Amino acid sequence: MSNVGNLWERLVRAALRRERTGIDAYGRPAGGIAGNVPSSLSNSRDIDPILRAADEIQDEDPNISRILCEYAYTLAQNLDPNSEGRGVLQFKTGLMSVIKQKLAKREGGSIDRSRDIARLQEFYKLYREKNDVDKLREEEMELRESGTFSGNFQELERKTVKRKRVFATLKVIGTVLEQLAKEVSPEEAQGLISEELKRMMESDAAMTEDLIAYNIIPLDAPVVTNVITSFPEVRAAVSSLKYFRGLPKLPANFPIPATRSADMLDFLHYVFGFQKGNVANQRENIVNLLSNEQSRLGTPDEHEPKLDETAVERVFSKSLDNYIKWCTYLNIPLMWSNSDINKEKKILFLSLYFLIWGEAANVRFLPECLCYIFHRMGDELCGLLSEQIAKPATSCVAENGVSFLEQVITPLYDVIAAEADNNENGKAPHSSWRNYDDFNEYFWSQSCLKLGWPFDTNSSFLLKPSRKSNNILNASITKRRGKTSFVEHRTFFHLYHSFDRLWIFLFMMFQGLTIIAFNNGKLNDKTIREVLSLGPTFFVMKLFQSALDIVVMYGAYSTTKTLAVSRIFVRFIWFTFATIFICFLYVYVI
């Protein structure tokens, strides 16, 4: 515990030091205008790194710093030409002031911007030579492999931060250099960047893999100072995601980071067109779940760590518990058979479910809808596993390639958004628009299977409401699906309809005690005959409650199960005849 406390204190001190000194994770200045890029310009992730690199090399070459700042200003101008975003005008004004200050520090003479590309090339080579980048990573790896850094961890941290800072700056300079070369005419672009420099930039770019952002475990960006990557349970979880026998091969042109080999999530990424960021997040999420469950069972062998079947089964059962219950409720078979599903396929289905959830947007509020999507995509995946070469799924093929978000989530989101637009900011009657419950309850019956796969866009479930005539009658005219099984009509009768048993008990108790009170507490024939009036009272109140069932269900008859509707009307008829009979019998007895 003392070691954990010491590490925590060191982490807090480092964070406070960076807060005081204004140094980011790469050891570069984090203060000034570089740390105040408006959120409205966050679409361009290059602006902030470029400004930080400009601050880094300010003292070495103000002219190069000026070129970087001018390029950052160009990016900001392209993103928001009219400075309409919050804080954009102030940011541009401050950036222009910084550019003028850097111009004042340059050597005398006029500015020849035609030589900006040449200056960047010269500085790129000088910066590499000055920092001796070829030895930076070698020294760091030698120090780590030697094991001597355990007693001098600060030395390893210092070398790592320096390497990140240098390569991050080189990456920015190389990116700006390439973009400026593209902006000139094709004739002038020829020979601007030598082949030797291009190879040098590509080699340096390969050394910046560990600058990729990650949450907890750097899977696509291995960091030598992150000890979590060396844990046996983490290595076992990572190895469990690798390609297994029977999984179709990916095309040769599918991009895979040089820091790792292809895995199941890359296969799902190619087949269904999930977003790259979603795949990276869910890869880390699944590794965390599997490694945490494995740690509860015990640490695997450090030499060749493998996940226990029990760990995979526990994560699989917990994560897909709702889907299993959904299939049981609808009496439909699971997409897998318990006899032929192995550990690899369990992780494959688990990965598919988390990728669907991670990119589901507002459809996450429809858990049974997610079960339907997962069920259909799982069946499609089982068919694709028989192929030799991986190919895109038919359900997710879009005009611009393969996109799960565009072909599966967007149609559902558009319908939900169109229905929400008809609620008039919450003032419209509940019966005139569908909410999340109505959409989700549609998947509580086997009628949802009529949607097909890919979605039948002509289905009444996916028809959007018209903007002006948004009522129940219009829903039936346009064949748009209305409420599912419940409509909330705004009436005070809900006080009775929702709490009918309480009202019946209170009213009958009041009636009975009143009869006894007016008879002075005497129990005779007259009192008994009057107490028998509680029978007709009970049936009359139950008849009223069954009539309210019919009223409050108006608007949902066409979308409710026939058995449920029949039960409501049969109940009303039963209490009608029972009330008439009991009232007649009571009057006859009296």
Side-chain angles (χ1 to χ4, degrees), residues 13-72:
R13 287 197 301 270
L16 293 176
R17 183 173 65 253
R18 287 170 182 165
E19 183 68 23
R20 290 194 304 268
T21 60
I23 302 298
D24 67 1
Y26 302 151
R28 299 181 306 193
I33 196 169
N36 294 280
V37 179
S39 59
S40 57
L41 298 178
S42 59
N43 291 332
S44 177
R45 300 180 179 179
D46 296 330
I47 295 179
D48 191 71
I50 289 173
L51 294 177
R52 294 182 188 274
D55 289 341
E56 169 73 16
I57 62 178
Q58 165 66 30
D59 296 334
E60 298 184 35
D61 194 332
N63 217 345
I64 299 299
S65 181
R66 182 265 308 170
I67 296 173
L68 297 182
C69 288
E70 287 181 344
Y71 184 73

Side-chain angles (χ1 to χ4, degrees), residues 224-501:
V224 294
T225 57
N226 197 323
V227 187
I228 194 173
T229 57
S230 62
F231 289 169
E233 54 267 33
V234 174
R235 289 190 287 131
V238 173
S239 63
S240 68
L241 295 179
K242 293 182 179 179
Y243 252 61
F244 60 89
R245 181 177 298 178
L247 202 61
K249 295 181 179 179
L250 287 171
N253 59 352
F254 185 77
I256 301 294
T259 55
R260 63 172 178 83
S261 57
D263 59 15
M264 300 180 191
L265 282 92
D266 290 317
F267 169 73
L268 296 174
H269 180 196
Y270 173 77
V271 170
F272 295 108
F274 293 108
Q275 295 182 71
K276 183 178 179 181
N278 176 38
V279 175
N281 283 333
Q282 298 310 321
R283 178 182 288 109
E284 188 174 346
N285 181 30
I286 295 169
V287 169
N288 276 320
L289 290 174
L290 293 174
S291 58
N292 287 340
E293 196 62 48
Q294 178 63 50
S295 65
R296 295 185 178 95
L297 298 174
T299 304
D301 184 16
E302 293 188 1
H303 300 290
E304 294 183 2
K306 292 183 179 181
L307 283 179
D308 292 342
E309 291 278 357
T310 306
V312 177
E313 177 61 29
R314 287 182 181 179
V315 177
F316 181 78
S317 301
K318 291 178 182 177
S319 302
L320 299 183
D321 178 63
N322 190 51
Y323 167 73
I324 297 173
K325 291 180 179 178
W326 178 77
C327 290
T328 304
Y329 179 76
L330 296 186
N331 195 25
I332 59 178
L334 297 170
M335 70 178 70
W336 61 78
S337 174
N338 293 329
S339 59
D340 63 350
I341 186 171
N342 51 24
K343 181 174 71 173
E344 288 77 13
K345 285 190 176 181
K346 287 180 180 179
I347 298 177
L348 181 64
F349 287 127
L350 183 69
S351 303
L352 175 62
Y353 181 81
F354 278 113
L355 287 172
I356 294 172
W357 180 88
E359 211 162 321
N362 286 33
V363 183
R364 291 179 187 170
F365 296 117
L366 312 176
E368 276 68 50
C369 178
L370 287 183
C371 291
Y372 176 83
I373 295 173
F374 174 65
H375 184 76
R376 292 295 196 179
M377 292 181 67
D379 288 340
E380 193 172 11
L381 177 62
C382 292
L384 294 173
L385 291 179
S386 60
E387 303 289 339
Q388 294 293 330
I389 304 296
K391 62 179 182 180
T394 306
S395 60
C396 298
V397 174
E399 295 180 359
N400 301 323
V402 187
S403 175
F404 165 78
L405 183 67
E406 181 178 342
Q407 296 299 107
V408 178
I409 298 300
T410 300
L412 292 171
Y413 179 84
D414 289 342
V415 176
I416 295 174
E419 293 284 356
D421 288 341
N422 269 352
N423 69 356
E424 298 178 4
N425 199 22
K427 298 179 181 179
H430 181 265
S431 58
S432 65
W433 63 287
R434 290 181 289 175
N435 56 18
Y436 284 108
D437 290 336
D438 297 308
F439 282 101
N440 196 47
E441 287 179 21
Y442 176 75
F443 296 92
W444 290 1
S445 65
Q446 289 191 358
S447 60
C448 67
L449 301 177
K450 298 178 182 178
L451 273 177
W453 192 257
F455 286 132
D456 181 10
T457 55
N458 296 321
S459 171
S460 60
F461 178 77
L462 293 176
L463 288 181
K464 299 178 183 178
S466 57
R467 182 60 181 167
K468 296 299 181 181
S469 53
N470 52 346
N471 51 51
I472 297 172
L473 294 177
N474 178 67
S476 60
I477 294 173
T478 61
K479 298 182 181 180
R480 177 179 67 91
R481 190 170 187 85
K483 307 298 287 186
T484 304
S485 60
F486 173 74
V487 180
E488 182 182 346
H489 296 278
R490 292 174 180 173
T491 170
F492 284 105
F493 285 117
H494 276 301
L495 291 174
Y496 179 80
H497 180 257
S498 301
F499 306 100
D500 60 294
R501 294 183 179 181

Side-chain angles (χ1 to χ4, degrees), residues 57-58 60-61 64 68 117-129 169-170 173:
I57 62 178
Q58 165 66 30
E60 298 184 35
D61 194 332
I64 299 299
L68 297 182
I117 297 178
R119 289 192 181 99
L120 285 174
Q121 295 187 66
E122 294 173 2
F123 182 81
Y124 191 94
K125 296 177 181 179
L126 292 174
Y127 192 79
R128 289 186 85 256
E129 294 175 0
T169 303
L170 287 173
I173 297 174

Side-chain angles (χ1 to χ4, degrees), residues 183-200:
E183 294 176 0
V184 301
S185 61
E187 294 79 8
E188 297 178 357
Q190 294 293 335
L192 284 179
I193 304 178
S194 63
E195 293 298 326
E196 180 185 358
L197 183 59
K198 288 182 179 179
R199 289 193 296 268
M200 194 181 300

